[in-house]
Amino acid sequence: MTSSSGADNPPVRRVAIFGGTHGNELSGVFLVKHWQENGAEIQRTGMEVKPFLANPRAVKKCTRYIDCDLNRVFDPDNLGRTVVEDIPYEVRRAQEINQIFGPKGSDDAYDLIFDLHNTTSNMGGTLILESSRDDFTIQMFHYIKVVYYGYINIFLYLQTGVEVGPQPQGVVRADTLDKMRRIVKHGLDFVQLFNEGKDFSPCTIEVFKITEKVDYPRNKNDEIIAIIHPKLQDQDWQPLNNGDPLFLTLDGEVIAYKGDCTVYPTFINEAAYYEKKQAFVKTVKVKLTANHIRSSARNQNTP
């Protein structure tokens, strides 16, 4: 949901909560299944909140995906592909989801989607922001950071979502699930306040913006020959400076970071990204400012 500068915005009437986009990220799976049976805690006055299991076949097998990454096929080319017998399952599923909650970008699309993910990296509670110009979501993330009892990181990346870790694939941890649950609660509280007509003044947030994806060192056969250095492991969002250790070969050689500025690595040693040839991503800190927002419903309710 993107708001225009300084303008009244329509109220949020339909919200979806996706779990199981990746079938082995279990916090969202457990929460969505619970809310489908007992959704009282996520319901808010004046809006529909729909919990939805995004990739049920992958959830059943407790695997990230069946044929391909569901989170990477919501692009126009895949959404517009002709359905044939051998089309990948996740492409078909993305088309189904787009029809239920979209079509993407249309007036019929849901106003807001919370897409719940886990990571094996030590990223803590992380909010992922798709657009640096999305006033509504920036305001929501600012609100969550203020009211959440614990540190929240905001990451400017692929698409808006919630990422909480560390948690192994195929495992559910109570503390990780609780973080995710509270983030969703505060997000829904923000939407309710917005719908009730609360003014949200201009705000500024600090976010981490990706600058580069870094692969593991490899040999001529494309095999990994060095692993994440112990001093880098679990140091997501911490400053990385020139000369700091990155990788360690099995022969004991240390491979250091060479760079002319401080960066902040994240998704360090993420299990799902070995297949993507990604050891971590480098980010830099930037500040984003959101304009004042308010719901147009307030004017309708004002005598």
Side-chain angles (χ1 to χ4, degrees):
M1 180 175 183
T2 304
S3 64
S4 54
S5 175
D8 287 353
N9 306 118
V12 176
R13 295 307 184 200
R14 295 194 299 170
V15 177
I17 304 174
F18 287 1
T21 298
H22 297 132
N24 55 6
E25 297 176 5
L26 295 190
S27 294
V29 171
F30 273 61
L31 285 171
V32 161
K33 286 185 174 182
H34 171 71
W35 289 331
Q36 286 176 333
E37 294 295 324
N38 182 5
E41 72 177 275
I42 60 171
Q43 297 309 315
R44 298 294 187 275
T45 301
M47 61 178 168
E48 172 196 355
V49 182
K50 182 179 179 64
F52 183 78
L53 202 61
N55 197 336
R57 284 180 57 184
V59 168
K60 186 174 182 179
K61 289 181 173 291
C62 197
T63 187
R64 183 173 174 86
Y65 55 77
I66 300 299
D67 293 324
C68 59
D69 192 333
L70 178 60
N71 218 23
R72 303 294 189 269
V73 293
F74 284 95
D75 57 282
D77 287 345
N78 278 301
L79 293 178
R81 284 177 67 173
T82 302
V83 177
V84 293
E85 187 174 341
D86 62 348
I87 192 172
Y89 165 70
E90 277 79 11
V91 173
R92 294 200 310 272
R93 187 61 176 162
Q95 293 175 350
E96 293 168 0
I97 291 170
N98 189 50
Q99 289 302 311
I100 296 170
F101 297 98
K104 192 174 182 179
S106 72
D107 292 338
D108 294 329
Y110 268 57
D111 301 307
L112 182 63
I113 295 175
F114 292 95
D115 191 14
L116 307 182
H117 291 269
N118 289 122
T119 172
T120 62
S121 301
N122 189 31
M123 293 173 63
T126 300
L127 302 171
I128 300 180
L129 178 67
E130 181 177 8
S131 170
S132 62
R133 297 185 176 184
D134 185 347
D135 288 335
F136 180 89
T137 306
I138 292 172
Q139 287 278 7
M140 180 172 66
F141 285 4
H142 176 264
Y143 175 86
I144 293 172
K145 277 184 69 78
V146 169
V147 301
Y148 183 85
Y149 296 108
Y151 191 74
I152 292 287
N153 304 290
I154 301 178
F155 188 21
L156 188 60
Y157 196 42
L158 293 173
Q159 57 196 46
T160 301
V162 178
E163 189 94 38
V164 184
Q167 179 169 280
Q169 296 175 342
V171 171
V172 60
R173 290 177 46 142
D175 55 346
T176 303
L177 184 146
D178 181 64
K179 284 182 185 179
M180 182 177 286
R181 193 175 201 164
R182 286 190 287 143
I183 289 171
V184 173
K185 173 196 179 302
H186 294 317
L188 292 173
D189 289 345
F190 169 86
V191 176
Q192 183 172 16
L193 289 171
F194 171 78
N195 284 347
E196 290 172 348
K198 178 178 172 59
D199 279 286
F200 290 92
S201 301
C203 69
T204 299
I205 60 173
E206 184 176 75
V207 307
F208 294 90
K209 180 181 179 181
I210 185 170
T211 59
E212 183 183 355
K213 298 177 182 179
V214 179
D215 191 8
Y216 295 89
R218 296 178 182 271
N219 62 18
K220 62 182 181 180
N221 296 322
D222 205 31
E223 299 168 328
I224 293 173
I225 58 172
I227 59 179
I228 295 291
H229 193 280
K231 290 186 176 180
L232 179 61
Q233 183 65 52
D234 298 328
Q235 297 303 303
D236 295 77
W237 311 119
Q238 299 305 307
L240 181 69
N241 298 300
N242 186 52
D244 288 345
L246 290 181
F247 300 105
L248 182 66
T249 71
L250 270 65
D251 293 326
E253 177 189 355
V254 174
I255 300 173
Y257 170 60
K258 297 178 181 179
D260 55 6
C261 67
T262 299
V263 295
Y264 300 85
T266 195
F267 278 120
I268 298 171
N269 209 11
E270 162 60 48
Y273 289 171
Y274 274 73
E275 68 176 39
K276 301 180 188 299
K277 297 186 176 181
Q278 181 177 308
F280 62 91
V281 300
K282 294 194 295 188
T283 74
V284 295
K285 290 183 178 181
V286 299
K287 292 187 182 297
L288 298 179
T289 298
N291 293 302
H292 161 267
I293 64 169
R294 60 179 175 264
S295 171
S296 57
R298 187 182 73 167
N299 295 334
Q300 298 169 8
N301 297 330
T302 300

